[in-house]
Amino acid sequence: MMIGAAVAIAVTMFLALLRALMGPSVYDRVLAVNMFGTKTVLLLSVVAHIAGRSDYLDLALAYALINFIGVLAVLEFFRLRKVQQTKEAPPGEAVGAADEVDERPIPGEGGS
Amino acid sequence: MTGILSGFILSLAVLTALGAMRARNLFASVMLMGIFSLLMAAEFLLLDAPDVALTEAAVGAGISTVLLLSALALTGEEEKPQPRPPWIGLAAVIIVTAIVFYAVKDKPMLGDPNTPVQTHVAAEYFPMTREFVDIPNVVTAVLASFRGYDTLGEVIVVLTAAIGVLFLIGPEAPVGRKSPPTLRQASEGLKHHQPVRIVGKIAIPFILLFALYVQFHGEYSPGGGFQAGALFAAAIILYGLLEGRPAAASIIPTRILRIMAAGGALIYGGVGVVTLVLGGNFLEYTVLNDDPVVAQQFGIIVIEAGVGITVAGVLLAIYHAFAARGET
Amino acid sequence: MTIIDWISGALGVFGGFFVLVGGIGALRMPDVYTRLHASSLTDTLGSLCILGALMLQAGLSLATLKLAAILIFLLFTSPVSSYALGNAALLSGYEPRQLRTLEREKRP
Amino acid sequence: MNAFLDAFNYWVFAVLLMIGFYAVMARHNLIKKLLGLSVFQAAVFLLFISMGKVDGGTAPIILGDNWDAVFSNPLPQVLILTAIVVGISTLALGLAIVVRIKEAYGRISDIDAPKVKSGADTPS
């Protein structure tokens, strides 16, 4: 049963990695990294169970902690970038949009 | 089962590395490097190296992402398109690839217990650890006792790197292009994200506790000074992210951080000098106590503490240097 | 197989299922917010099921304590990261794709 | 095919090494070069840890005083453990240099000869 769960987690890691590779926006990538981190924690817990070594769980705990810090670092980065853009751009211009906005056009949005 | 999982993880790692190197946007590259680091750490665990996996997770996935992002905030994140194909670089890569692949063909099978790697000194370490040190984590015993010189050297290297960073972008280093002051905005941290702030603040004491556990339980489970130092630094960095860097600097001022960075290395070297004075060799802990095993364990605990203090001090000093650069 | 084993196995399968659904959702959904929705909701339930299954297997031991610590930590931080991420995306001007936009896209 | 699978870790090592090497050699962006260096380092770490693996072995942390079990080799693990921390320190040093280059020259790629911006402090 646990092996089945491990397989499901591994497949999900692959899906999350695809999302991280595809983007398209920066937020998708962060989302993928966050998801990937959680899946790694789960996978390690399952591996610890299968290997029968409970001391591996320390690692899973460390991963959970570190993953959170990673996401917060990204948020802080977004905030800093926004501060910089507001500073650099002349007032009145739109700033701070995701710089890799979804490339597919959204038809009808402008016309209506 | 483990073999299949390991192969799967390695394939993902190759994919991630390719993606990270291909991406034009450096932010995407850094995110993929975070995933790459997690994958490598998981692979290390599957290869029976939990200590290394813990280090890679704390240092590679956590602190290095923070550092890379702070550097990106200072330098911009778009990579300019290459003007022409890099012929010389490509040629060099192709030649080296041929050589490396030729060499890999002769590698022994994975897991073969009769390779020279396994049959030389490594086999001695288990009986020696049992006899002289008597702690369950052989990695810690080898790290801190049998190869103590090596580790002292690494600690000095880490310290030197921090000195270099502080010279280059430390508080006293000259600032090139002055940008208008944004000190107030930039040092705010994530204060406006109330849920993040509350949960983060709840988490910090537990991370610190976990760091201490990793530090002082390192003889019995995966852990030790390097990992604990990185986790400790991560906890303080988390506070800095939540409340702004100046708040983190007010808990542990940068002056203290420098003392920590140098002091830890000094503790390590000091133990060596003490053993010299007591009539032993440099870093020969046996002379520290009447019972040689107790003396070894005592020596390991002290130098691991030194390592932890240095690593925490160095990583935090580097973080402050990068984060403060964006505020001026 | 005792009853505990059955419960734990079922939890493991459920957890694997939810985790997988979250992964597919994060890959197939049309924009950031829906992907966030798919991944974050299943993350919580999936972790709860899988770690719960492992805790049942481990019985009363130090391992259970560590698993509980991991679980509690994940239950706290995972929704918070999702919230913060969605918040950052919205504040930066990334518009959710409206249903009507999607419908219009479908039309030739 | 079987020989290939037996040495899979080493093949991955070679591929990762070359990915990192390519980025260091051929990419112009300095941060990309540093990332490439990280991948290169990770490949070396993988090589060491793979060499220390013993079939049927477990982590070299003795559980319950059972000293006679098969363990993987602790020595490569010790070397790599310290190397990871040294790796982040060198990465930080490299990033610091990149930040200074950006401040002095306003760019972080090594395409063409860098021009000093007027009014900027030259690095001392």
Side-chain angles (χ1 to χ4, degrees):
Chain A
M1 292 300 156
M2 280 300 130
I3 291 183
V7 171
I9 295 168
V11 172
T12 311
M13 282 167 87
F14 178 63
L15 298 177
L17 180 58
L18 281 184
R19 182 40 74 200
L21 286 171
M22 280 160 48
S25 77
V26 288
Y27 303 102
D28 287 301
R29 297 185 201 272
V30 185
L31 160 72
V33 172
N34 186 21
M35 212 175 134
F36 202 92
T38 323
K39 297 298 147 357
T40 319
V41 173
L42 292 181
L43 187 70
L44 287 194
S45 311
V46 175
V47 166
H49 170 72
I50 293 174
R53 296 196 59 132
S54 64
D55 48 348
Y56 287 3
L57 289 174
D58 288 358
L59 279 153
L61 191 53
Y63 279 42
L65 304 173
I66 289 299
N67 197 25
F68 184 53
I69 294 175
V71 173
L72 293 196
V74 173
L75 290 177
E76 173 75 2
F77 172 72
F78 285 157
R79 202 185 56 78
L80 275 181
R81 194 176 59 175
K82 208 170 172 200
V83 170
Q84 274 174 3
Q85 278 173 348
T86 331
K87 193 175 68 193
E88 277 161 17
E93 227 169 87
V95 287
D99 35 352
E100 259 187 90
V101 201
D102 211 331
E103 270 138 34
R104 287 169 294 177
I106 304 180
E109 200 72 325
S112 56
Chain B
M1 172 64 202
T2 324
I4 299 170
L5 192 57
S6 158
F8 182 74
I9 286 179
L10 283 176
S11 316
L12 289 192
V14 170
L15 209 62
T16 318
L18 274 176
M21 293 303 114
R22 238 192 92 250
R24 282 264 163 253
N25 184 297
L26 286 172
F27 177 80
S29 282
V30 172
M31 287 294 98
L32 286 170
M33 285 303 287
I35 291 187
F36 180 74
S37 196
L38 283 174
L39 281 168
M40 289 313 282
E43 175 62 22
F44 291 152
L45 182 72
L46 291 178
L47 290 171
D48 297 339
D51 281 280
V52 183
L54 188 52
T55 320
E56 176 72 29
V59 169
I63 308 233
S64 110
T65 308
V66 174
L67 287 186
L68 279 167
L69 287 178
S70 2
L72 276 193
L74 294 173
T75 57
E77 61 189 87
E78 283 303 322
E79 189 179 358
K80 290 200 185 73
Q82 311 258 26
R84 56 190 171 269
W87 295 120
I88 301 176
L90 268 180
V93 169
I94 289 170
I95 293 170
V96 177
T97 308
I99 297 171
V100 169
F101 275 61
Y102 180 72
V104 165
K105 256 181 33 181
D106 291 342
K107 275 270 159 218
M109 221 178 84
L110 182 69
D112 186 358
N114 298 317
T115 53
V117 182
Q118 317 291 0
T119 48
H120 279 72
V121 280
E124 312 284 311
Y125 281 134
F126 288 99
M128 272 166 68
T129 303
R130 190 177 190 183
E131 191 186 339
F132 297 116
V133 191
D134 198 31
I135 58 172
N137 191 344
V138 181
V139 174
T140 302
V142 176
L143 178 92
S145 182
F146 300 130
R147 296 192 66 86
Y149 280 23
D150 224 23
T151 312
L152 177 61
E154 307 272 19
V155 169
I156 303 292
V157 170
V158 171
L159 177 63
T160 314
I163 294 172
V165 171
L166 290 181
F167 266 125
L168 282 165
I169 57 167
E172 283 88 25
V175 175
R177 295 191 306 157
K178 275 265 190 233
S179 40
T182 51
L183 186 65
R184 198 184 52 78
Q185 279 172 304
S187 59
E188 218 166 40
L190 297 166
K191 274 182 191 157
H192 58 288
H193 281 304
Q194 201 64 316
V196 178
R197 204 172 150 201
I198 291 168
V199 169
K201 278 193 168 173
I202 294 173
I204 289 171
F206 292 101
I207 301 180
L208 287 175
L209 191 66
F210 185 63
L212 287 178
Y213 166 79
V214 168
Q215 169 83 51
F216 291 108
H217 205 256
E219 286 87 37
Y220 307 98
S221 64
F226 286 101
Q227 296 93 330
L231 281 168
F232 186 85
I236 306 290
I237 289 176
L238 175 57
Y239 189 72
L241 290 174
L242 292 172
E243 295 290 317
R245 192 202 59 84
S250 70
I251 315 177
I252 310 184
T254 41
R255 189 168 41 83
I256 307 259
L257 287 178
R258 284 181 227 163
I259 295 174
M260 274 168 71
L266 203 63
I267 291 176
Y268 199 148
V271 172
V273 173
V274 168
T275 55
L276 273 182
V277 170
L278 289 178
N281 290 323
F282 190 66
L283 290 176
E284 185 187 357
Y285 311 132
T286 1
V287 293
L288 292 175
N289 192 300
D290 294 333
D291 184 351
V293 172
V294 173
Q296 283 280 353
Q297 291 177 352
F298 177 72
I300 287 177
I301 288 176
V302 173
I303 68 120
E304 285 274 13
V307 171
I309 293 171
T310 296
V311 171
V314 162
L315 292 179
L316 280 174
I318 291 174
Y319 160 72
H320 278 299
F322 275 101
R325 198 71 170 176
E327 291 166 6
T328 42
Chain C
M1 293 254 289
T2 62
I3 185 87
I4 296 275
D5 283 337
W6 279 106
I7 298 175
S8 138
L11 275 179
V13 170
F14 269 130
F17 171 74
F18 283 121
V19 163
L20 199 57
V21 166
I24 295 169
L27 194 65
R28 298 280 303 148
M29 286 291 188
D31 79 343
V32 177
Y33 301 99
T34 44
R35 283 171 205 147
L36 200 58
H37 178 84
S39 79
S40 65
L41 286 190
T42 53
D43 248 13
T44 322
L45 192 55
S47 327
L48 193 66
C49 286
I50 289 181
L51 292 177
L54 291 175
M55 272 152 87
L56 284 179
Q57 291 277 337
L60 265 183
S61 62
L62 188 63
T64 310
L65 197 68
K66 283 181 186 169
L67 283 168
I70 297 171
L71 180 59
I72 291 172
F73 197 79
L74 279 184
L75 286 184
F76 267 105
T77 58
S78 175
V80 166
S81 332
S82 309
Y83 147 77
L85 194 56
N87 188 308
L90 194 65
L91 284 184
S92 76
Y94 195 100
E95 294 266 325
R97 305 182 103 195
Q98 307 285 336
L99 188 59
R100 55 191 166 82
T101 340
L102 289 175
E103 276 169 359
R104 263 190 220 121
E105 265 179 27
K106 273 184 199 151
R107 270 184 242 146
Chain D
M1 191 61 199
N2 213 10
F4 172 76
L5 283 183
D6 278 339
F8 188 66
N9 285 38
Y10 300 125
W11 290 111
V12 170
F13 148 74
V15 171
L16 285 181
L17 198 73
M18 285 307 112
I19 293 172
F21 189 57
Y22 172 77
V24 174
M25 295 297 290
R27 282 312 187 96
H28 288 290
N29 187 294
L30 292 177
I31 290 191
K32 204 47 148 314
K33 276 180 195 280
L34 284 174
L35 290 178
L37 203 60
S38 300
V39 174
F40 194 92
Q41 273 179 346
V44 176
F45 300 163
L46 178 66
L47 172 74
F48 268 65
I49 302 290
S50 299
M51 288 199 299
K53 166 83 177 161
V54 176
D55 263 344
T58 181
I61 298 171
I62 283 87
L63 286 181
D65 233 16
N66 178 15
W67 287 84
D68 301 321
V70 182
F71 295 108
S72 288
N73 194 337
L75 184 56
Q77 302 187 10
V78 170
L79 300 179
I80 293 313
L81 198 159
T82 48
I84 289 176
V85 182
V86 171
I88 180 104
S89 314
T90 47
L91 176 72
L93 192 58
L95 287 175
I97 294 173
V98 172
V99 167
R100 287 303 300 275
I101 289 176
K102 168 81 177 176
E103 283 170 358
Y105 300 110
R107 62 163 86 200
I108 53 165
S109 77
D110 57 4
I111 307 170
D112 304 330
K115 283 173 290 193
V116 181
K117 285 208 164 184
S118 55
D121 293 341
T122 42
S124 43

